[in-house]
Amino acid sequence: AAEPGDEQIAAVSDLLRSITPAGSNLLVIRTGIGAAQRVGLALDRSGWPGMVGTIAGDDTIFVATESAHAQKNLITRIEHATRS
């Protein structure tokens, strides 16, 4: 079943290239060229718990999470939403 915020990420799923954990509370998300700010905004608007903030450049987003547990949950939620 779709969770709140899934539609935000599903709308930009074709722009995602990779999700890589960095440490215990940081994700590095790669996107297509020029798409990071759009994907970062979708993440911000998703309202998913556990995210502290995002920084988006041209094709890379840093997502700070509250904890290692929140980081793992966020990866799972992004992967689920992009399969929808």
Side-chain angles (χ1 to χ4, degrees), residues 8-84:
Q8 297 286 332
I9 305 307
V12 295
S13 64
D14 59 323
L15 303 174
L16 294 173
R17 298 296 177 259
S18 68
I19 304 169
T20 307
S24 62
N25 66 337
L26 180 66
L27 287 179
V28 178
I29 300 175
R30 297 284 184 171
T31 69
I33 294 170
Q37 291 184 14
R38 185 171 168 199
V39 174
L41 182 60
L43 286 165
D44 289 340
R45 289 184 175 172
S46 73
W48 287 341
M51 283 191 295
V52 178
T54 61
I55 299 174
D58 187 54
D59 65 354
T60 305
I61 306 162
F62 288 167
V63 183
T65 59
E66 294 173 344
S67 63
H69 180 71
Q71 179 196 57
K72 290 178 180 131
N73 284 345
L74 184 58
I75 293 168
T76 300
R77 290 188 89 154
I78 293 170
E79 289 173 347
H80 180 264
T82 58
R83 280 188 239 123
S84 301

